[in-house]
Amino acid sequence: MFLSTFARSGSLFLSICIPLAIVGCQPNASNTSSPPASPDKPKIALVMKSLANEFFSTMAEGAKQHQSQNSQQYELVVNGIKDERDLARQAAIIDEMIAAKVQAIVVAPADSKALVPVLRRAKLAGLVVVNIDNKLDEEILNAESLSVPFVGPNNLLGAKSVGQHLANSLKPGDQVAVLEGIRTSFNATQRRLGFEQAMKDAGMQIVDSQSANWETNQANTIAASMLNAHPDLKAILAANDSMALGAMAAIKAANKTDAVQVVGFDNISAAQEAIRQGKMLATADQHGDQLAVYGIELALKLLQDPKSLPEDRETPVDLITAGSLPK
Amino acid sequence: MKDHAVSSNRAIQQTLATYGGLLVAILALLGFFGVFAKNFLTATTLLTMANSIPDITVVAVGMTLVLIAGGIDLSVGSVLALSACCLGWLMVDLKLPLWLASLGAIALGACCGGLNGWISAAFRIPAFIVTLGMLEIARGSAYWITDSNTKYVGSSLGWFSDPIAPLGVSVSFLIATAVVLAGQWLLHQTVLGRTAVAIGTNAESVRMAGIRTTAPMVTLYAICGGLCGLAGMMQSSRLSTVDPNSGVGMELSAIAACVIGGTSLRGGQGSVVRTFFGVLVISILQTGLAQLGATDPIKRIVTGGVIILSVLLDSLRKQSAIR
């Protein structure tokens, strides 16, 4: 009886310990990226969306690099969620960070509304909170009477400049289609609006606009259908590069590579390759590697001088074309 | 002479009874979208559809074999992504020739599948749990080997899914068709296939009869995993990229295709050809709704409704057949 209980709890113990040991061995286990610090060094938590997404993993890398260059100034804890839509987990991470007594939280919210209450708890606990990448909803911030500085790109203007570049190689009246991101996300809306403004200003006709949920494969199916439904389509504007890749494949399969142009957003490496090869016209770079760093810098400033007024900071978005890429 | 005519009549009747319902459903969907969606009933649209289904088709064939034996494989999407990433790594980073890299990717898929089968059969652990674990392991490994980056593999794989000039369909599609036929043959004409049905019907009596169940289960899961590897290759060639995020939720589409095709989740019943029809139903819906310009919520609601409706009709048909 006793032995079997022991055996049972023993195996449970082992099954918990083995994965922990594996995690411990991993060279860049992301939870602590610096040695134990002197007590006066502030600890900043960077809470990201999915680290499985290239954009956010680049962002985290940039932050870690910044920390290792400024290791005297602060300590960094990086956390991400498994799935971009796992809001509950992201909120839980923020609660855990409050409990872990970090001094500041820099957060890329997975949802612009649902994260507000938990961030309010963080503020009440006396933490500095900085919002990066995806802007928190103004109305809800006001309703909770909360002010959180935002550091991030203007997605609308970025998408507009991509659209304007595309318009230069089209004729007024040409038919175009838009592949949108997940509709509930602020970025997706902003990029769609930017594309729409650019197309409207240049007199293009948007004949179709559907969400492919940021995904390559879904974008491929939908773009193929768009090409069939609108044989005269001249361009597809994708709200991120992953969807642009899917659209490119659909265009290639339909044998319309010369007739239909593609633009994207994010400047991931696969898109750069496609732009160099002339399969894609343009994308936008919002300097993901620097985004978290800007947020951390603002958090440090607010920690040093709590009375300074937190101000929003717009980060640059650059148009990327074959001409602007290094050969 | 007369006898022959009667038996061929019966064969036609039987074929109609087996496939008739699904064929009617497919024709109805084609008709509906033909009327309401622009340029839907054209050769281009149909060929586009044919060339976009090979990956889900071969995964669904693997899933059918596993389901018939009373198992389930939730890890198919992750194993697909892992195999695709492995293919990209072997081709781009290690510069291996295509045939070797493809072989490596398919072998990796088969290993993941085989491991699923071995752990669940040899230790009698529910496949649901084992493959759920594999779902996480394979996805994590896919992120690991790609550093979470989408990799551009270029057009060296393109021939695999580019339409062949006179036919209009791709090599992938032809392979997928061959896989469907081979799957049907395996199920009905081989010892492994009959054993699978027997295990799915009543595993205990198969064991009592002195037949080992571990080896066939390992083989079936390995086939399923290998087919996921093949699907990974098909998807990467179609998209010219390998993406560690690909195939998320694919297990559900594959199970849906099997279920629409009448495969029982309790095991012992199912048909590979009918699963293929299930894939067609799903892909016609997907393409048709996209061509109509339907919004995402509508797409999901309609797809869910069609899955339930088709299974409901199938079960009503079976009940009336019994009476």
Side-chain angles (χ1 to χ4, degrees), chain A residues 52 54 210 217 220 228 249 279, chain B residues 39 143 149 152 238 290 299:
Chain A
E54 179 170 351
Q210 292 185 47
N217 201 31
N220 184 251
N228 286 330
K279 290 176 182 160
Chain B
N39 302 330
Y143 289 139
N149 290 353
Y152 189 70
R238 182 158 53 89
K299 282 176 193 163

Side-chain angles (χ1 to χ4, degrees), chain A residues 46-120:
Chain A
L46 176 60
V47 181
M48 310 285 279
K49 288 203 239 173
S50 168
L51 290 179
N53 180 328
E54 179 170 351
F55 182 67
F56 293 106
S57 59
T58 319
M59 206 188 285
E61 281 312 311
K64 282 180 199 161
Q65 218 167 32
H66 182 262
Q67 194 277 334
S68 65
Q69 283 158 7
N70 301 281
S71 55
Q72 295 309 309
Q73 275 191 300
Y74 71 104
E75 266 187 82
L76 182 68
V77 188
V78 180
N79 270 297
I81 45 177
K82 193 173 79 173
D83 181 318
E84 300 236 340
R85 281 160 277 187
D86 197 354
L87 310 177
R89 180 67 199 126
Q90 200 181 34
I93 288 176
I94 293 173
D95 273 331
E96 287 160 22
M97 290 296 112
I98 300 171
K101 297 216 162 31
V102 299
Q103 275 76 33
I105 291 180
V106 176
V107 59
D111 186 283
S112 35
K113 294 178 182 149
L115 267 297
V116 174
V118 66
L119 289 174
R120 201 171 91 101

Side-chain angles (χ1 to χ4, degrees), chain B residues 88-113:
Chain B
W89 177 63
L90 293 175
M91 265 177 51
V92 178
D93 296 325
L94 299 190
K95 307 225 172 352
L96 290 188
L98 180 62
W99 65 271
L100 199 59
S102 318
L103 213 62
I106 293 172
L108 178 63
C111 286
C112 293

Side-chain angles (χ1 to χ4, degrees), chain A residues 26-282:
Chain A
Q26 221 181 322
N28 52 355
S30 54
N31 278 347
T32 48
S33 37
S34 62
S38 49
D40 50 352
K41 230 170 34 172
K43 207 169 177 183
I44 297 182
L46 176 60
V47 181
M48 310 285 279
K49 288 203 239 173
S50 168
L51 290 179
N53 180 328
E54 179 170 351
F55 182 67
F56 293 106
S57 59
T58 319
M59 206 188 285
E61 281 312 311
K64 282 180 199 161
Q65 218 167 32
H66 182 262
Q67 194 277 334
S68 65
Q69 283 158 7
N70 301 281
S71 55
Q72 295 309 309
Q73 275 191 300
Y74 71 104
E75 266 187 82
L76 182 68
V77 188
V78 180
N79 270 297
I81 45 177
K82 193 173 79 173
D83 181 318
E84 300 236 340
R85 281 160 277 187
D86 197 354
L87 310 177
R89 180 67 199 126
Q90 200 181 34
I93 288 176
I94 293 173
D95 273 331
E96 287 160 22
M97 290 296 112
I98 300 171
K101 297 216 162 31
V102 299
Q103 275 76 33
I105 291 180
V106 176
V107 59
D111 186 283
S112 35
K113 294 178 182 149
L115 267 297
V116 174
V118 66
L119 289 174
R120 201 171 91 101
R121 276 205 288 284
K123 287 276 272 195
L124 286 179
L127 273 65
V128 166
V129 177
V130 175
N131 171 205
I132 58 170
D133 176 54
N134 182 17
K135 196 171 181 347
L136 292 167
D137 191 277
E138 293 281 353
E139 270 178 47
I140 297 193
L141 282 178
N142 288 338
E144 300 246 348
S145 55
L146 203 65
S147 100
V148 176
F150 174 69
V151 175
N154 188 325
N155 277 277
L156 194 151
L157 289 181
K160 199 171 165 182
S161 74
V162 172
Q164 281 162 345
H165 181 76
L166 170 69
N168 289 337
S169 57
L170 298 174
K171 293 189 305 295
D174 276 352
Q175 295 189 349
V176 300
V178 178
L179 288 171
E180 305 168 32
I182 293 176
R183 285 208 173 145
T184 46
S185 111
F186 179 75
N187 287 352
T189 319
Q190 292 295 303
R191 292 180 194 177
R192 175 174 59 80
L193 290 174
F195 284 154
E196 283 176 1
Q197 281 184 14
M199 289 297 102
K200 209 177 133 200
D201 293 348
M204 306 302 158
Q205 190 191 350
I206 298 178
V207 289
D208 207 345
S209 184
Q210 292 185 47
S211 167
N213 296 321
W214 304 124
E215 266 183 18
T216 311
N217 201 31
Q218 273 193 46
N220 184 251
T221 312
I222 292 175
S225 305
M226 286 173 163
L227 290 169
N228 286 330
H230 309 284
D232 293 329
L233 208 62
K234 290 287 184 289
I236 295 178
L237 299 97
N240 77 351
D241 283 343
S242 300
M243 295 192 291
L245 293 172
M248 267 159 43
I251 291 168
K252 185 173 149 246
N255 229 340
K256 287 187 168 173
T257 312
D258 296 326
V260 186
Q261 315 212 49
V262 180
V263 293
F265 205 106
D266 280 348
N267 195 24
I268 65 173
S269 52
Q272 292 175 1
E273 196 102 6
I275 291 178
R276 278 200 198 95
Q277 295 181 5
K279 290 176 182 160
M280 192 169 149
L281 190 67

Side-chain angles (χ1 to χ4, degrees), chain B residues 229-249:
Chain B
L230 179 63
M233 188 183 161
M234 290 166 162
Q235 202 175 75
S236 326
S237 68
R238 182 158 53 89
L239 303 173
S240 303
T241 48
V242 298
D243 176 7
N245 288 307
S246 65
V248 173

